Amino acid sequence: MSGHVAPKSLYCTVFVTLMVFTGLTVWVAFYDLGLYSNIVALGIACIKATLVILFFMHVRWSTRLTWVVVMSGFFWLLILFGLGMSDYLSRGWVQGTLR
Amino acid sequence: MPNYLTNGHGLASWLLTKDHKRIALLYLASITAFFFLGGMFAFLIRLELLTPAGDVMTSESYNKMFTMHGVVMVFFFLIPSIPAVLGNFFIPIMIGAKDLAFPRINLLSWYVYVLGGLFTLVAALGGGVDTGWTFYTPYSTAASNTHVITAGLGVFITGFSSILTGLNFIVTIHRMRAPGMTWFRLPLFVWSHYATSLIMILGTPVIAITVLLVAVERGLHLGIFDPALGGDPILFQHLFWFYSHPAVYIMILPAMGVISEVVQAFSRKNVFGYSFVAFSSLAIAIIGFLVWGHHIFVAGQSVYAGLIFSILSFLVAIPSAVKVFNWTATIYKGSVSFDAPMLYAFGFLGLFTIGGLTGLFLATVGLDVHVHDTYFIIAHFHYIMVGGAIMGYLAGLHYWWPKISGKMYPEGWARFAALIVFVGFNLTFFPQFVLGYLGMPRRYHVYPPEFQVLNVLSTAGATVLAVGYLLPMVYFTWSIFAGEKAPMNPWGVKGLEWEIPSPPPTENFVVSPIVTHRTHQYAPSKEVGIGG
Ligand code: HEM
Ligand SMILES: [Cu+2]
């Protein structure tokens, strides 16, 4: 249906970028950034996922309906993270409960 | 003209069919097999609990019994039951289409389901799993020496069948509606399946990845959930329930769709507040994703998160209650007949209400501390899943059986069976509320002697219930061979499915219908106002 044909060079660029980010993930894993370790790792993962969705899955050239579908999938992920974090971030706020 | 049953003979014409109606029957056969397998495990559980001592099996075997019972019933019976059988068969017909949008994907979903089922059977035959259907870590990854990975893969694989079904339904409902079949003319059965499909697509990937992570931790010792490896066991519970609470709505929403149809049909009245009932399905699907933390109030979740999840859990009861009130208002002053489907629908109304209300008890943190992991929980969810979802499934199966098979089932026997199911059900599960309140924990095979009377009642009830479930098996099978031929519209009710022959031809409609009004419009009887 989406008849868009992207140039091969674009796919190559995206692929190389993904590989660079993979290397970056491995590299930062050797540094202890404390709380930021997770944030950096998740940040890199999000960028990579976005690249895959936009280019490899052709969403960049797709209809608005496809965008709605993709965004709601992402929104659901935010629900998982958001409500999940409501637990992790508020552990131990009440005296005598576990951290 | 041949109908869909006579159009093509031989095994290959079934196993390679792309007809949504035949695929529905493939599903019917396979989920029925799993239902009776799951029932056998339940029978052994109830047999063991007849006496306080562990005299039928060891505690290890008992753990495997309730695990296999849960895995089979949840993933291989309840989740596919109504969508894959009745939804598959009737959604295209109800919207005036010749098939689902992707007939091949529909067939693929059945094969995927069967493959997942085979993994589970292999796990069962190879010695079973003992983690509970919840696969809680770190036990499932670090301690259990049973077939966790095989069973987990079974769940992982079947998940894809569910995703494919959901995808197919959503695309079908968007793209395949007959001319004039606008969104607000859709039968409520279709609305509830639309909502169910959203949950299937948005939730199932999470459980799939979660059980895969369990397999990874178990097989490769990568620390994800096991604290000994630096993981977090509560993370597993968050991920598991992020899917599995919405999954309980995968089971109940389609049943609610059936009840909407049956209540209108046997009250000869349009549903009270159509759009409220339609949108409450969507509301349930969405809010259902925000409440999962109510399963982990006492597992180490923070107190504040518990409060948030408690409040959100109260919210999800509102759209469910909207439906129950609207069905009741539909029956009110209707021209009610008490055929078997309607008897099941009445059963649903009462039992679902009890299940839902006890859900609110459990969503209250203070009370949950007392009854968490007791038989109260078991009673709560069986009131909804067995009293609600299976009642809805049976209501739908009876209601549409003449259309599916082209034969009438024996009405007298069916009413009798409906009563047996109702009595057997309550005798089985009501004592479990009391047992749980008194403190009998779930998942133990021995118990203090003072709990025996209630357990004997429950086991007796389970025996009655089993008879109630076997009866329809017998008379449905009998009716295929010896039942009276069903006319096009045996109940004299509205709906596109009743305007085509029984059983329908392969292409459903010889001429594509053009829809000019709501397909369930009963003669515009005078609107009856409540209190007026
Ligand atoms: C009115 C909406 C509902 C509310 C507020 C509610 C609330 C709860 C709560 C708080 C628990 C956890 C109790 C505990 O473990 O201590 C629970 C367990 C459960 N509920 Fe519900 N529930 C609702 C509807 C449903 C429905 C519709 C189903 C099924 C179709 C269902 C199936 C289950 C199951 C299977 C469990 C136990 C899972 C396990 O631990 O094995 N519930 N419910
Ligand atoms: Cu829940």
Side-chain angles (χ1 to χ4, degrees), chain B residues 273-296:
Chain B
Y274 171 92
S275 49
F276 273 85
V277 181
F279 279 120
S280 64
S281 291
L282 292 183
I284 288 176
I286 292 167
I287 305 175
F289 272 102
L290 311 179
V291 305
W292 78 83
H294 63 215
H295 293 273
I296 34 187

Side-chain angles (χ1 to χ4, degrees), chain B residues 15 18 90 107 159 271 281 331 333 485 502:
Chain B
L15 293 182
K18 292 191 285 298
F90 287 104
L107 183 63
V271 72
S281 291
I331 298 170
K333 289 196 176 171
K485 249 185 84 56
S502 314

Side-chain angles (χ1 to χ4, degrees), chain B residues 420-436:
Chain B
I420 296 276
V421 167
F422 186 78
V423 172
F425 173 84
N426 283 293
L427 189 55
T428 311
F429 292 107
F430 196 81
Q432 298 185 1
F433 276 129
V434 185
L435 277 170

Side-chain angles (χ1 to χ4, degrees), chain A residues 1 65 69 72-77 79-94 97-99, chain B residues 174 202-203 206 232 234-236 238-239 242 285-286 289-292 296 300-305 308-309 312:
Chain A
M1 290 222 295
L65 183 62
V69 172
S72 38
F74 184 70
F75 181 69
W76 246 252
L77 188 68
I79 295 179
L80 175 61
F81 282 15
L83 276 174
M85 277 301 160
S86 80
D87 172 16
Y88 287 99
L89 296 181
S90 63
R91 292 246 180 114
W93 283 9
V94 172
T97 57
L98 293 174
R99 280 212 67 82
Chain B
H174 272 273
L202 290 167
V206 177
D232 175 14
I234 312 278
L235 177 64
F236 173 85
H238 278 296
L239 293 174
F242 180 81
I286 292 167
F289 272 102
L290 311 179
V291 305
W292 78 83
I296 34 187
Q301 180 178 242
S302 92
V303 175
Y304 285 97
I308 294 174
F309 279 119
L312 289 169

Side-chain angles (χ1 to χ4, degrees), chain B residues 447-464:
Chain B
Y447 56 83
E450 65 260 35
F451 293 144
Q452 188 172 12
V453 173
L454 289 164
N455 272 297
V456 169
L457 286 180
S458 181
T459 299
T463 319
V464 177

